[in-house]
Amino acid sequence: MPVERGRRRPLAASLVRGAALGAGLAAAGAVRRWVDVVEVHGGSMAPALLAGDWLVIERRTYERRGPRVGEVVLAPDPREPSRELVKRVAAVDPVAGLIELRGDAPDASTDSRDFGAVPTASVRWRAVARYWPADRVGWLRPPGAG
Amino acid sequence: MQLRLPLRPIRRVHAHCDVPCGVYDPEQARIEAESCYKIIEKYHGSTDELFRARCILAKEERAELAKHHIDVLWSDYFKPEHVEKFPDLQQTCWKAAKAASKVKQTTDLEAAKDLLSLIDKIDDMWKATGGPEKTRLNGRPS
C-alpha cells in the first residue's frame, strides 16, 4: 500500500516536503550543537540536582573561557569515557590545564578524589538550568549563592 | 512502547557514585583478625594433627578476609582529605594488609597481635573522620 500512495503523490510536493524537513532537521542540529537537554541519573549532586531532573546545557561559554569554580559541568568519566558525568567544579588549575570535579554529596560521590583531576579540554558543556520537575525550575547557581 | 514526553531528554548524565552503599566499619576486619588470634592459640594448644590442619585452613581463610576488609577501607572509605589529616594513613593501611598476609603465612601469635593493633589504628582514623555516624546506618552498635 505505501508504494501505491507514493506513486499517486506528485513528485514536486514530495521534494518540497523533503527539503522543508531537511532544513528543519539541520536547524535543530545546529542549535543542538550549542544547546541540549539531559536527564540526571544518580544522586551524587544532591541536593542541588536529584535523579530525574531535566537540565538545559550549553557549550558556548567554554569556547570563550574556562570553567569556573562552582559551575556545574559535564565531563566524560575518565575511567569509562562513554559515560558522561555531571559534577561541580571544585578547583581549577589553569597552568596544568586540569579541573577538580566534586559531587555536592561527597559521601556518595565518585569524583576527582577517586579518578583524579580531568583535562580542562574534556569539559565542554555547562549545565545552565533545570526545567523539570516544575516546582524546581530555575537557574543552577553555585552552592550558597541562593 | 515507552511513553516519552516530548520534552524529556534522551541524553543522560551521571551524578555518579560507584555504589552509593557507603557502609564501612573496621570492626569487620577486627572480627576476622580476632578469629585468627584465637585459632593460633588453639593450634598451639593441641597435639591433634587433624585439628591443627583445620586450624591452619580456617586461619588462612580468616586472614584473607581481614586483608580484604582492610583493602576496602583503604581504597574506598578513605579519601585524600583523610590522608591530609592523617599523614601515616597510607602507611598504616599498607602495614595492616601486610600484617594480614603474615598471619596467613605463619602461626605466630605476635603476628596476630600486630594485625589487631594496626586495625585498631585504622579504627581510630575511621572514627576521627566521622566513620561511625557517616558510614553506619545508626552509628556503630555499642
Side-chain angles (χ1 to χ4, degrees):
Chain A
M1 289 311 276
V3 177
E4 291 280 315
R5 267 168 47 195
R7 266 186 206 155
R8 258 185 249 136
R9 183 184 292 163
L11 182 65
S14 290
L15 283 176
V16 168
R17 279 185 203 191
L21 186 66
L25 282 174
V31 172
R32 217 65 197 282
R33 287 211 303 264
W34 304 325
V35 180
D36 202 357
V37 288
V38 293
E39 183 175 83
V40 176
H41 287 248
S44 78
M45 282 299 286
L49 303 179
L50 303 179
D53 283 1
W54 297 352
L55 311 178
V56 179
I57 61 171
E58 60 85 21
R59 56 178 291 174
R60 295 293 270 173
T61 304
Y62 298 155
E63 289 173 6
R64 290 186 286 107
R65 62 162 177 87
R68 289 175 187 159
V69 170
E71 288 177 335
V72 178
V73 300
L74 272 54
D77 187 334
R79 305 169 310 169
E80 195 186 325
S82 65
R83 177 165 59 198
E84 228 173 348
L85 300 177
V86 59
K87 299 279 175 187
R88 202 178 290 278
V89 177
V92 178
D93 183 343
V95 179
L98 292 172
I99 285 180
E100 284 271 334
L101 301 175
R102 193 68 44 92
D104 283 3
D107 289 331
S109 174
T110 303
D111 48 42
S112 285
R113 294 169 298 170
D114 303 281
F115 51 66
V118 301
T120 307
S122 72
V123 179
R124 297 217 293 264
W125 293 89
R126 182 171 73 111
V128 186
R130 173 182 26 246
Y131 69 101
W132 191 262
D135 59 341
R136 294 173 64 236
V137 169
W139 301 108
L140 299 179
R141 305 225 178 270
Chain B
M1 198 185 84
Q2 196 191 350
L3 252 176
R4 187 176 280 278
L5 284 164
L7 288 174
R8 180 168 181 183
I10 298 160
R11 186 167 160 187
R12 295 172 163 198
V13 292
H14 299 264
H16 183 68
C17 182
D18 280 346
V19 175
C21 136
V23 172
Y24 304 98
D25 194 331
E27 194 66 18
Q28 240 175 328
R30 171 136 192 130
I31 287 169
E32 302 302 349
E34 284 183 15
S35 282
C36 293
Y37 183 90
K38 281 283 190 185
I39 289 169
I40 293 171
E41 269 190 347
K42 285 175 187 280
Y43 169 89
H44 289 299
S46 170
T47 50
D48 179 345
E49 279 311 310
L50 179 62
F51 178 78
R52 282 160 69 96
R54 290 192 59 220
C55 283
I56 287 176
L57 193 68
K59 172 183 66 73
E60 295 208 1
E61 277 177 12
R62 299 290 121 188
E64 187 58 38
L65 282 169
K67 191 173 166 182
H68 166 76
H69 292 310
I70 291 162
D71 274 345
V72 169
L73 288 160
W74 187 7
S75 53
D76 297 349
Y77 169 70
F78 288 118
K79 299 278 195 287
E81 57 260 36
H82 300 158
V83 179
E84 275 171 34
K85 196 171 172 186
F86 296 102
D88 63 339
L89 190 155
Q90 309 266 24
Q91 190 73 11
T92 307
C93 291
W94 186 44
K95 277 188 192 163
K98 284 203 169 295
S101 297
K102 192 84 182 165
V103 170
K104 208 172 138 182
Q105 290 161 8
T106 68
T107 52
D108 181 1
L109 205 57
E110 285 306 310
K113 278 185 193 164
D114 193 31
L115 173 61
L116 283 167
S117 77
L118 284 162
I119 291 171
D120 286 344
K121 277 189 186 171
I122 294 173
D123 193 69
D124 291 341
M125 293 187 280
W126 173 77
K127 281 180 189 152
T129 50
E133 293 75 33
K134 283 185 181 170
T135 68
R136 296 296 308 268
L137 284 186
N138 300 304
R140 179 186 272 181
S142 49

